[in-house]
């Protein structure tokens, strides 16, 4: 047996081998050491031919799925070696064979992958300075691809990987550029398992790939054909099953989608928050009102890759508005969608032969809800709803098969039986009847034989001889020819008949027969359904789109969102916009809305100054998120808006370092800025926060100013630029395309209150000490900081004459931070005050003045 194990293990050196021995999967040698550590299993040993015992551990085969899932999620591959014959009938060693290998990118076990997340496996190929990438979700049957020049792969491919985050990656024809991608995977997506693929020179992988997809789709993917073919070949080999359900092929089309790099997705918290990478506190969390797992997965894709074509966006907006404006339609749509399970993944398990009885019931209930959904969609006026309705089918043939074949409440696992409905198979019904009514059958047979033969007899049973007719010697008459003597007793004879023998065989093997026949019938039902899988996949994908539109409509209704207008004038104009995430989680106070105008005429770059914690970063993120929402087809939190679709959103926000690659915070900042300046266009939106903060004041200020000038001269992107370098507000005097904005602050002596309002103008200082005071630094420290600041300001004026704002700018800044005393004086009607009221008013002004000066 150990020799057989080692021969099998040689076929899967990079996988943990689950070797079937009776009712257990056993692991030996290094696999046992690894599995016992990762799964907390007891490590034992057994004789293996050497002096030392072989390390060994195991898990029950009927509960192996949970253990396999845990290993795969840790990045291991698991090879399943099954017994290929009945051990009771085998002569010598039982024949065993690897029936499949489960890897992080090909796992299809139920609940192994989060229901609203995709699980991608990818392939990377480099050929003649062209890099091709293909990504596939085996659980849903979809495949996407892209090609680029190898020289720019470090940007293009890495952006794709950051969005799709594959759990497994294979590669072929390794070159220098692939090496850099592998390094990225090790450092950034460490949970991704990487495998080299042994490409066969005599195999036409492109031809293999063409067999899975429609010719029109594959013709567009010819450049990536070999890469797609290699990926399909690998998946087919490890799964050891039919994978014809993988039939959706789409390009990663940057011409039809807004491109989001990894940094921007992270900074804006679109689908993962910056704290722990979780879902809470993200835009997806706010907008996801989907009822189905299929819709939840698609909504994530919509947010990670919004649209750029106005016509496409309007189609979604019309559908969302149609659902939003009809309360009854929205409620009926919810009721219909609520009964639909994740049958996109159920279809995959049917195709690969791993579907459970519960999957069949879920598919049947899903199909039962589709007619109700189509009735709701029949009432939709929006063009997109009509298109989706035409692509949703009820699949009555499959529904009838499932209704006739599967019980309403079947057993959990097929091997335990109780799955096939009564009346589906006459053979199964007979076996069940024999098993359940054997006593009644024997009584009936006994009475028939007495009447037929005229002999007084009785039916008996022993474990040794089985069933028999017993006839005493006193009642012996002419025994019919079909009675065969089985045993002679002192006072009686025992006989067997063909009918009784047949019954004996049936009743003694009924349970085993039932299980075997049920499994056979279940497999037949599964096979019948496989012919309908492509059509049902189209239905599932269309239902997912309906669910996404429903979700956006519900979010708009619940959060008071409005439909943004769209324009081709490269103008972003938002009135009283609100940040959807912060607004959702803000409990103690109301969110302060703000306006924004960006265009290529006189608002191309907005320089935003003001103290820390005042809301500059929130404001800029808000603009980016609202633009992204609009391009995804969502309504947005604002009073009104007109937005031009942008081709890319770039963000440079926050401070972080990269310990693994040895890059400091400032280096990371500069790399991100370099990436932005390299890829941004005049149709992009740039969110730049505190450029230059990681180095000395003069160095940082110089870089910040140079970045603004470079954007104005070479890129012409719509730009929001927040900075603590209030000296930069002077740049607005030199260019009409720059406008200064600041965060309004109410100042009382050495204390400030953030008003969260973005207003025209520039701040004349950064209010760092005020924020430090709010943070609770010791008073003695703050007083010393005041002294140091005054000294630095007194001796630093002459150092930066070219960057300091012009004297004319000071009144603008002063007007933004006026004393409350002056504010009251400006707004009081002195002529209407009585003498007593005037004295009282003067007294209150004096108290305010004392507070502001620190005298009180």
């Amino acid at each position: 047996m150990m020799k057989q194990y080692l021969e099998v293990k040689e076929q899967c050196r990079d996988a943990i081998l689950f070797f079937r021995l009776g009712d257990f999967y056993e692991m030996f040698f290094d696999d046992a050491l690894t599995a016992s550590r990762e799964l907390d299993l007891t490590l034992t040993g057994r004789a293996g031919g050497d002096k030392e015992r072989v390390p060994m551990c195991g898990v029950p085969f009927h509960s192996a799925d949970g253990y396999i899932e845990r290993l795969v999620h840790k990045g291991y591959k698991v090879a399943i070696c099954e017994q290929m014959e009945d051990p009771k009938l085998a002569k010598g060693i039982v024949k065993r064979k690897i029936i499949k290998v489960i890897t992080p990118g090909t796992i299809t076990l139920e609940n192994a992958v989060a229901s609203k997340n995709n699980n991608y496996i990818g392939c990377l190929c480099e050929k003649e300075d062209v890099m091709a990438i293909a990504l596939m979700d085996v659980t849903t049957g979809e495949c996407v691809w892209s090609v680029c020049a190898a020289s720019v792969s470090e940007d293009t491919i890495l952006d794709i990987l950051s969005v799709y985050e594959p759990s497994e990656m294979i590669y072929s024809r390794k070159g220098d550029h692939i090496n850099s991608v592998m390094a990225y995977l090790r450092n950034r997506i460490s949970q991704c398992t990487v495998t080299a693929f042994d490409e066969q020179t005599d195999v036409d992988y492109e031809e293999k790939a063409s067999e899975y997809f429609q010719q029109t789709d594959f013709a567009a993917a010819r450049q990536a054909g070999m890469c797609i073919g290699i990926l399909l070949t690998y998946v087919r080999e490890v799964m050891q099953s039919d994978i014809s359900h993988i039939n959706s092929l789409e390009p990663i089309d940057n011409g039809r989608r807004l491109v989001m790099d990894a940094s921007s997705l992270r900074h804006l918290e679109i689908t993962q928050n910056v704290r722990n990478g979780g879902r809470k506190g993200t835009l997806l969390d706010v907008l996801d009102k989907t009822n189905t797992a299929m819709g939840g997965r698609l909504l994530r894709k919509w947010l990670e890759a919004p649209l750029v074509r106005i016509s496409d966006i309007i189609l979604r907006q019309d559908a969302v508005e149609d659902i939003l404006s009809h309360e009854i339609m929205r409620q009926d749509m919810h009721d219909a969608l609520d009964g639909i399970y994740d049958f996109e993944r159920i279809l995959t398990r049917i195709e690969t032969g791993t579907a459970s009885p519960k999957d069949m019931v879920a598919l049947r209930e899903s199909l039962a809800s589709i007619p109700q959904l189509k009735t709701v969609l029949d009432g939709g006026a929006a063009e997109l709803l009509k298109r989706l309705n035409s692509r949703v089918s009820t699949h009555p043939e499959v529904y009838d098969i499932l209704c006739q074949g599967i019980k309403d409440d079947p057993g959990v696992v097929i091997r335990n039986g109780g799955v096939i409905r009564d009346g589906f198979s006459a053979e199964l019904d007979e076996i069940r009847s024999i098993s359940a009514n054997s006593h009644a059958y024997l009584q009936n047979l006994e009475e028939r034989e007495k009447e037929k033969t005229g002999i007084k007899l009785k039916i008996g049973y022993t474990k040794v001889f089985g069933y028999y007719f017993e006839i005493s010697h006193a009642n012996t008459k002419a025994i019919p020819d079909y009675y065969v003597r089985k045993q002679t007793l002192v006072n009686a004879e025992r006989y067997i008949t063909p009918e009784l023998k047949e019954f004996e065989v049936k009743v003694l093997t009924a349970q085993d027969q039932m299980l075997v026949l049920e499994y056979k019938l279940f497999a037949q039902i599964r096979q019948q359904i496989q012919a309908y899988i492509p059509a049902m996949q189209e239905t599932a994908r269309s239902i997912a789109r309906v669910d996404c539109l429903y979700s956006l409509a519900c979010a708009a209704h619940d959060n008071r969102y409005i439909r943004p207008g769209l324009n081709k004038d490269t103008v972003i104009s938002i009135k009283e916009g609100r940040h959807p995430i912060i607004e959702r989680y803000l409990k103690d106070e109301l969110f302060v809305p703000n306006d924004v105008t960006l265009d290529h005429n006189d608002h191309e770059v907005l320089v935003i100054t003001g103290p820390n914690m005042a809301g500059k970063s929130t404001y800029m993120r808000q603009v980016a998120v609202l633009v992204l929402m609009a391009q995804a087809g969502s309504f947005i939190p604002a009073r009104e808006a007109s937005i031009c679709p942008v081709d890319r959103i770039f963000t440079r926000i926050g401070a972080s370092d990269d310990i693994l690659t040895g890059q400091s915070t400032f280096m990371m900042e500069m790399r991100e800025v370099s990436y932005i300046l390299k890829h941004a266009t005049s149709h992009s939106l740039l969110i730049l926060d505190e450029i230059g903060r990681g180095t000395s004041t003069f160095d940082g200020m110089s870089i910040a100013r140079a970045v603004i000038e470079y954007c104005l001269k070479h890129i012409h992107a719509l730009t929001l630029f927040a900075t603590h370098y209030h000296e930069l507000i002077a740049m607005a005097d030199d260019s009409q395309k720059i406008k200064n904005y600041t965060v309004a602050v109410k100042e009382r002596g050495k204390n400030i209150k953030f008003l969260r309002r973005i207003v025209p103008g520039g701040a004349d200082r950064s209010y760092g000490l005020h924020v430090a005071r709010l943070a609770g630094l010791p008073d003695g420290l703050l007083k010393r900081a005041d002294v140091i600041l005054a000294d630095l300001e007194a001796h630093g004026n002459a150092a930066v004459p070219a960057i300091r704002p012009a004297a004319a700018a000071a009144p603008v800044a002063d007007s933004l931070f006026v004393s409350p005393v002056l504010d009251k004086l400006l707004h009081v009607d002195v002529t209407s005050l009585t003498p007593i009221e005037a004295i009282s008013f003067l007294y209150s002004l004096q108290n305010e003045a004392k507070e502001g000066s620190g005298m009180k």
Side-chain angles (χ1 to χ4, degrees), residues 510-541:
Q511 187 63 32
D512 290 339
Q513 284 182 318
M514 275 193 296
L515 295 178
V516 171
L517 185 55
E518 281 210 52
Y519 188 87
K520 179 181 177 182
L521 293 170
F522 186 79
Q524 289 176 356
I525 292 172
R526 194 170 59 204
Q527 190 172 10
Q528 283 180 281
I529 294 173
Q530 285 177 351
Y532 300 94
I533 283 179
M536 286 194 288
Q537 283 178 316
E538 177 65 25
T539 293
R541 290 161 186 160

Side-chain angles (χ1 to χ4, degrees), residues 396-451:
E397 307 89 350
V398 178
Y399 183 70
D400 289 344
I401 292 171
L402 292 170
C403 285
Q404 293 169 12
I406 306 297
K407 284 185 174 182
D408 292 335
D409 187 18
V412 178
V413 290
I414 182 61
R415 63 173 170 264
N416 293 337
V419 173
I420 302 300
R421 189 186 295 274
D422 292 338
F424 183 72
S425 166
E427 184 182 359
L428 180 62
D429 290 345
E430 181 184 1
I431 297 173
R432 282 177 173 169
S433 177
I434 291 172
S435 179
N437 305 303
S438 59
H439 183 69
Y441 179 87
L442 289 172
Q443 282 187 324
N444 182 49
L445 177 61
E446 184 177 297
E447 292 301 321
R448 283 192 286 111
E449 286 298 322
K450 285 180 181 179
E451 184 178 346

Side-chain angles (χ1 to χ4, degrees), residues 5 43 75 103 166 213 258 261 318 355 372 443-444 470 489 519 545 584 586 662 748-749 825 849:
Y5 170 84
L43 187 66
T103 70
F213 310 105
L258 189 161
D261 61 278
D318 289 345
Q372 180 186 354
Q443 282 187 324
N444 182 49
E470 184 171 297
L489 303 180
Y519 188 87
R545 286 170 172 79
R584 164 83 173 272
L586 203 61
R748 293 191 174 187
L825 282 173

Side-chain angles (χ1 to χ4, degrees), residues 164-435:
Y164 288 90
E165 293 188 327
S167 59
E168 185 176 0
M169 201 77 185
I170 65 174
Y171 63 88
S172 175
R173 302 192 180 185
K174 188 173 182 179
D176 292 339
H177 296 97
I178 285 186
N179 286 336
S180 65
V181 175
M182 295 302 118
Y184 174 85
L185 290 173
R186 286 194 300 272
N187 295 328
R188 299 289 187 176
I189 313 179
S190 57
Q191 74 276 12
C192 181
T193 300
V194 179
T195 304
F197 181 81
D198 186 13
E199 184 182 338
Q200 303 296 315
T201 56
D202 59 339
V203 177
D204 189 342
Y205 293 103
E206 186 174 317
E207 182 64 28
K208 277 181 171 288
S210 66
E211 299 171 3
Y212 287 82
F213 310 105
Q214 294 183 9
Q215 290 306 308
T216 52
D217 292 339
F218 188 72
R222 282 286 178 187
Q223 277 188 290
M226 186 185 75
C227 186
I228 297 169
I230 288 175
L231 183 55
L232 287 165
T233 301
Y234 174 80
V235 171
R236 176 72 179 82
E237 287 176 355
V238 299
M239 295 187 70
Q240 293 288 300
S241 64
D242 189 5
I243 55 170
S244 58
H245 70 285
I246 300 172
N247 53 30
S248 172
L249 183 63
E250 294 183 0
I252 301 174
D253 187 357
N254 292 346
R256 299 194 63 171
R257 70 182 191 110
L258 189 161
V259 180
M260 297 287 287
D261 61 278
S263 176
S264 299
L265 284 171
R266 183 177 66 254
H267 290 155
L268 298 178
E269 298 186 292
I270 303 303
T271 57
Q272 295 180 333
N273 64 48
V274 295
R275 296 177 300 283
N276 57 16
R279 173 191 171 100
K280 187 174 182 181
T282 64
L283 181 62
L284 177 62
D285 189 33
V286 173
L287 297 181
D288 189 1
K289 311 287 183 182
T290 56
N291 294 272
T292 69
M294 303 177 294
R297 291 193 296 270
L298 182 60
L299 183 61
R300 173 186 287 268
K301 295 175 188 173
W302 281 13
L303 296 181
E304 290 178 336
L307 304 168
V308 295
R309 296 184 183 179
I310 290 179
S311 58
D312 293 339
I313 300 171
I314 289 176
L315 276 176
R316 285 188 190 172
Q317 286 184 332
D318 289 345
V320 171
E321 186 169 32
D322 197 3
I323 300 170
L324 175 63
S325 58
H326 295 90
E327 179 71 31
I328 295 178
M329 174 196 273
R330 196 165 65 250
Q331 184 58 51
D332 290 345
M333 190 173 287
H334 169 271
D335 294 342
L337 290 169
D338 198 43
I340 296 176
Y341 293 83
D342 191 1
F343 73 89
E344 189 175 37
R345 282 184 170 164
I346 291 174
L347 294 176
T348 295
R349 292 197 286 273
I350 291 174
E351 182 69 62
T352 57
T354 58
S356 67
K358 187 174 71 171
D359 286 332
M360 295 301 195
V361 173
L363 178 57
R364 182 176 62 202
E365 292 183 7
S366 299
L367 295 176
S369 297
I370 291 179
Q372 180 186 354
L373 178 62
K374 285 188 69 66
T375 300
V376 176
L377 292 174
D378 284 338
E383 176 64 25
L384 184 54
L385 293 181
K386 292 179 179 178
R387 291 184 191 177
L388 293 173
N389 191 19
S390 68
R391 296 172 188 166
V392 173
S393 301
T394 55
H395 308 287
E397 307 89 350
V398 178
Y399 183 70
D400 289 344
I401 292 171
L402 292 170
C403 285
Q404 293 169 12
I406 306 297
K407 284 185 174 182
D408 292 335
D409 187 18
V412 178
V413 290
I414 182 61
R415 63 173 170 264
N416 293 337
V419 173
I420 302 300
R421 189 186 295 274
D422 292 338
F424 183 72
S425 166
E427 184 182 359
L428 180 62
D429 290 345
E430 181 184 1
I431 297 173
R432 282 177 173 169
S433 177
I434 291 172
S435 179

